Amino acid sequence: MSAEAFDGDSVVKVTDLVAGYIPGVNILNGCSIEARRGELIGIIGPNGAGKSTLLKAMFGLVKVHSGTVVVRGQDLTGLKANKLVSRGVGFVPQNNNVFPSLTIEENLQMGVYQAPRTFRERFDFVAGVFPELAKRRAQRAGSLSGGERQMVAMGRALMMDPAVLLLDEPSAGLSPVKQDEAFLRVHEINRAGVSVIMVEQNARRCLQICDRAYVLDQGRDAYTGTGRELMKDPKVIQLYLGTLAETA
Ligand SMILES: Nc1ncnc2c1ncn2[C@@H]1O[C@H](COP(=O)(O)OP(=O)(O)OP(=O)(O)O)[C@@H](O)[C@H]1O
Ligand SMILES: [Mg+2]
């Protein structure tokens, strides 16, 4: 992409992404999404639609066959994950997202292994969002609950001061109260200036808090709009939210 064409408010722009795990079998079939400065973007859609694959492809973990991933005007398609981290992309996978044998503090240190001198400053920021992590910094991550591990994983991704955070189902496996808490934290991180792209199983809740969302279906962005628009869209309700959504 030429410098002239770069829209300064675009943080991540994914265009016509085609990607998959096995040669000849594409999971993403021309998927396009964008996150602009300060936006909280939701990604919803049925199981197997390719939501996790989209985040992994954006983070260099799944082979991209065609299409582009442009981050702040630079084409970073297919770059390895560690390079993407230093270009401002943070990723929190759904599972296995902490080092269980390391303490909370050591997990956070791993987040800045590329820039260890920034540890103190970034630790203070993360402790502001997740005070309980600072209090329990010496505890092994393997002994934490699912929700607490999720906080460690988000904290670790925030250590590199990302421009955009990719979150794969931050509320999965949590009790309703803990889910609300997870959404609040995501909101807080977003308000602190980090653009967020959040995949969520809890579609209604996701649409309530995001600025804009995309419905993924069979590896494509099938619908997009503001959270409010999608929540009211009869097709989206019928196909993806269920009838209860109308009254939510
Ligand atoms: N490592 C893998 N190797 C081969 N195929 C895979 C792999 N991971 C996922 N797939 C396939 O890719 C498709 C999309 O999976 P993906 O995990 O992206 O869906 P998803 O939308 O995140 O679903 P869910 O809501 O269940 O998390 C599925 O058919 C899945 O079987
Ligand atoms: Mg998934």
Side-chain angles (χ1 to χ4, degrees), residues 21-22 27 45-54 56 94 169 201:
Y21 302 91
I22 303 164
I27 302 298
N47 296 124
K51 304 180 297 294
S52 296
T53 304
L54 172 62
K56 287 189 270 180
Q94 186 181 333
E169 308 214 11
Q201 198 70 250

Side-chain angles (χ1 to χ4, degrees), residues 38-219:
E39 275 190 321
L40 173 46
I41 298 292
I43 309 273
I44 60 171
N47 296 124
K51 304 180 297 294
S52 296
T53 304
L54 172 62
L55 297 191
K56 287 189 270 180
M58 290 168 73
F59 200 63
L61 300 173
V62 172
K63 182 146 178 55
V64 172
H65 302 308
S66 63
T68 53
V69 178
V70 173
V71 179
R72 294 191 285 185
Q74 290 188 306
D75 187 343
L76 304 184
T77 316
L79 222 62
K80 290 271 177 291
N82 61 337
K83 293 264 166 35
L84 285 158
V85 168
S86 60
R87 305 291 186 94
V89 183
F91 174 50
V92 181
Q94 186 181 333
N95 299 309
N96 305 322
N97 51 20
V98 299
F99 298 101
S101 62
L102 301 184
T103 65
I104 290 176
E105 182 165 348
E106 286 163 346
N107 267 275
L108 297 179
Q109 275 165 355
M110 295 298 284
V112 280
Y113 78 95
Q114 297 188 51
R117 269 177 295 172
T118 62
F119 177 77
R120 185 124 313 276
E121 184 196 330
R122 295 308 301 163
F123 183 83
D124 288 347
F125 173 80
V126 170
V129 183
F130 302 112
E132 46 282 79
L133 294 187
K135 273 188 233 133
R136 297 162 68 179
R137 59 208 283 172
Q139 188 170 341
R140 274 187 207 286
S143 66
L144 300 173
S145 72
E148 290 162 348
R149 284 181 194 217
Q150 192 65 30
M151 288 183 207
V152 174
M154 279 198 237
R156 194 179 63 224
L158 285 173
M159 289 299 281
M160 278 299 276
D161 195 10
V164 64
L165 196 56
L166 313 178
L167 300 176
D168 197 348
E169 308 214 11
S171 79
L174 304 183
S175 68
V177 171
K178 292 285 174 194
Q179 287 189 9
D180 284 347
E181 204 179 301
F183 285 124
L184 275 174
R185 303 303 176 92
V186 171
H187 212 227
E188 201 174 318
I189 291 166
N190 176 243
R191 276 209 312 264
V194 184
S195 299
V196 175
I197 300 179
M198 172 172 74
V199 166
E200 253 303 319
Q201 198 70 250
N202 192 338
R204 264 175 278 158
R205 203 68 182 82
C206 177
L207 293 179
Q208 281 165 354
I209 70 159
C210 69
D211 296 308
R212 292 190 303 114
Y214 295 86
V215 180
L216 237 67
D217 201 357
Q218 298 180 39

